[in-house]
Amino acid sequence: MKYYKLNLATLPDDLYDKAVPVKEWLKLVTSVEGRFPPNSLNQVVPLDSQVENERIVGITLYMLGNVIPFLVPLLVAASLVSDIGWACLKVFLIYFGSLFLINRFYYMPIFIKRYKRKDDLSDTDILDNQYLYTERNSQKYLSTQFVWPESLHRPLVEQSKTKPLDRPMIFCTIPHGAAPLGITAYPIWSKLFNNRLCHWTCAPVVLKLPIISKYMKQIGYVPAKSRHILDTLQKKEDNVGIILDGIAGMFQSHDEVAHVKARKGIVKIALRAGAPLVPVYGFGHTSLWKVVVDPFGILERLSVKLDVSITPFFGRFGWFLGPPQRAAVCMCLGEPVECPKIAEPTQEDIDKYHKQLLDNYRALFEQHKEAYGWGDRELQFV
């Protein structure tokens, strides 16, 4: 079988634009029969120092933005009862404020000009918003590559008379890791495989956070609830992306363990919508941060129950909630699971296509693990 690869880190910046037709991207695609050579998918590309420093500041700022609604009230409460609490609050505000000012008034003007972007995101044009300069820089920082089989290669699918191209798909990605940065190459999901805008899902609580929620909605995020996913597939007729192992996947740092055995809800949704399930493995996701896992699993159980992470993690330079390591990320897509449209799927139907999804994950992992330098690793499902 033939496999195709697009290296986003080396994609010319002038091609990273909504107006550029997909055929220009396809000209840069390479392919192989069988497997890619060993260690060919884990290469870290040399990086412009401005891009690197912007991501060091920008990703750290984003991570802090996710915890501010929970952390600041605690620090304020602590400041009311002790001098240490007051000192911690001041240090945090100075730290966060400094990163914000550097990002907003130094890096933002530089990259908006470099990538010819607008100052603000549109309230209506989600597709254009997905070409964020921040995520473009993330693709370079992480040396991001995409790999897919010929069954998803657009020129071949366009010639097929049996598989319609322009239909909504569900991209099911594992593992989550501390943060699944590979999915943030948003235009790829909306343009490379079909002409459908891709809406990624997230925990509903995230879309209620101040500041962060507006930004995420503007690039197309929807709550990870069946009603919203079905509406996206059937009413909007758009693609959907989901991190299948969710919060539980954050606690598998440096292990290839996927919490997907019980994740059957997305299969039921796919059957009701008649949408194909595309397995995606984010090679490198578990290498970006070191997650602190307590030996009793208390933080994991609380995080899963609350549907939001409350576990600490460390990034590059040992930085708490800091930037990720400069490890290569390779998003590998596997054979899609073709789901027939069934208004009320039975448990037998759901189990059947869920098994196919897990089988396709395992085949995908085995196909590309040596090319990523992980020939000795095994994918485990729990």
Side-chain angles (χ1 to χ4, degrees):
M1 182 184 290
K2 212 167 191 176
Y3 290 88
Y4 299 83
K5 179 180 72 172
L6 177 62
N7 192 327
L8 297 185
T10 58
L11 182 76
D13 288 335
D14 60 347
L15 295 185
Y16 194 74
D17 187 272
K18 173 187 169 183
V20 173
V22 70
K23 66 181 181 181
E24 297 300 320
W25 290 5
L26 292 171
K27 290 177 183 178
L28 302 175
V29 168
T30 58
S31 64
V32 297
E33 287 284 354
R35 300 186 177 188
F36 288 97
N39 297 305
S40 61
L41 299 181
N42 65 2
Q43 299 303 302
V44 176
V45 177
L47 188 61
D48 177 322
S49 61
Q50 275 196 325
V51 171
E52 182 173 14
N53 292 331
E54 186 279 328
R55 286 294 73 201
I56 287 173
V57 172
I59 294 177
T60 303
L61 190 62
Y62 174 77
M63 292 299 178
L64 291 172
N66 279 286
V67 302
I68 274 182
F70 310 101
L71 182 60
V72 169
L74 292 175
L75 291 176
V76 170
S79 71
L80 297 175
V81 297
S82 74
D83 291 338
I84 294 177
W86 173 242
C88 289
L89 177 61
K90 285 196 296 184
V91 168
F92 178 79
L93 292 177
I94 292 171
Y95 170 50
F96 181 82
S98 299
L99 291 175
F100 175 82
L101 292 173
I102 293 169
N103 180 71
R104 179 63 182 85
F105 296 106
Y106 181 68
Y107 287 119
M108 186 179 287
I110 289 174
F111 287 103
I112 282 177
K113 182 178 181 181
R114 179 186 295 191
Y115 297 134
K116 301 175 183 177
R117 299 294 301 166
K118 300 172 185 176
D119 286 344
D120 297 312
L121 295 180
S122 167
D123 289 328
T124 56
D125 194 344
I126 292 174
L127 182 58
D128 186 65
N129 290 344
Q130 291 186 342
Y131 289 82
L132 292 159
Y133 80 82
T134 52
E135 311 319 319
R136 177 68 182 127
N137 284 348
S138 287
Q139 294 157 28
K140 296 176 180 179
Y141 185 95
L142 299 172
S143 302
T144 305
Q145 299 186 80
F146 270 69
V147 169
W148 62 95
E150 58 186 351
S151 58
L152 290 171
H153 191 51
R154 190 160 177 168
L156 297 180
V157 177
E158 286 175 338
Q159 297 168 15
S160 171
K161 295 181 179 179
T162 59
K163 292 183 180 180
L165 168 70
D166 204 17
R167 56 180 176 163
M169 299 180 180
I170 305 175
F171 298 104
C172 299
T173 300
I174 59 172
H176 188 293
L181 293 185
I183 72 164
T184 63
Y186 299 116
I188 299 299
W189 312 102
S190 297
K191 185 172 182 174
L192 188 59
F193 307 108
N194 61 16
N195 290 318
R196 302 283 180 179
L197 178 67
C198 186
H199 299 262
W200 283 87
T201 63
C202 64
V205 67
V206 176
L207 294 180
K208 296 178 182 179
L209 299 178
I211 303 175
I212 293 291
S213 60
K214 181 180 179 182
Y215 156 81
M216 295 186 73
K217 290 174 184 177
Q218 287 176 320
I219 55 178
Y221 274 85
V222 296
K225 295 292 184 181
S226 59
R227 175 172 62 86
H228 296 283
I229 296 173
L230 276 170
D231 283 351
T232 301
L233 293 168
Q234 295 181 313
K235 294 181 180 179
K236 295 180 180 178
E237 297 186 328
D238 285 342
N239 296 331
V240 168
I242 184 168
I243 308 297
L244 194 58
D245 53 350
I247 295 296
M250 295 184 67
F251 294 84
Q252 305 306 324
S253 182
H254 301 293
D255 291 314
E256 303 313 303
V257 178
H259 285 256
V260 292
K261 278 190 173 180
R263 301 296 173 101
K264 300 183 180 182
I266 194 63
V267 179
K268 183 177 181 179
I269 291 170
L271 289 168
R272 291 179 64 187
L277 290 163
V278 181
V280 184
Y281 201 89
F283 285 89
H285 272 179
T286 55
S287 303
L288 300 179
W289 283 277
K290 181 175 177 56
V291 178
V292 176
V293 181
D294 68 279
F296 305 105
I298 296 173
L299 291 176
E300 179 178 358
R301 288 194 293 273
L302 283 174
S303 295
V304 171
K305 187 173 183 62
L306 297 172
D307 205 19
V308 63
S309 173
I310 57 172
T311 189
F313 55 86
F314 295 84
R316 193 174 174 187
F317 319 118
W319 193 335
F320 177 60
L321 299 184
Q325 304 292 339
R326 278 219 67 211
V329 168
C330 187
M331 303 300 289
C332 294
L333 285 68
E335 290 295 323
V337 176
E338 299 292 340
C339 295
K341 190 168 185 176
I342 305 174
E344 293 299 332
T346 65
Q347 190 61 50
E348 184 179 359
D349 294 326
I350 295 169
D351 291 344
K352 174 184 176 180
Y353 289 97
H354 181 259
K355 181 181 183 302
Q356 285 188 28
L357 180 61
L358 298 195
D359 289 345
N360 289 10
Y361 271 128
R362 193 175 297 284
L364 156 64
F365 186 82
E366 291 298 316
Q367 175 69 31
H368 300 299
K369 68 179 186 179
E370 189 173 349
Y372 191 75
W374 284 359
D376 59 340
R377 297 198 186 188
E378 299 294 330
L379 176 61
Q380 303 173 53
F381 297 133
V382 294

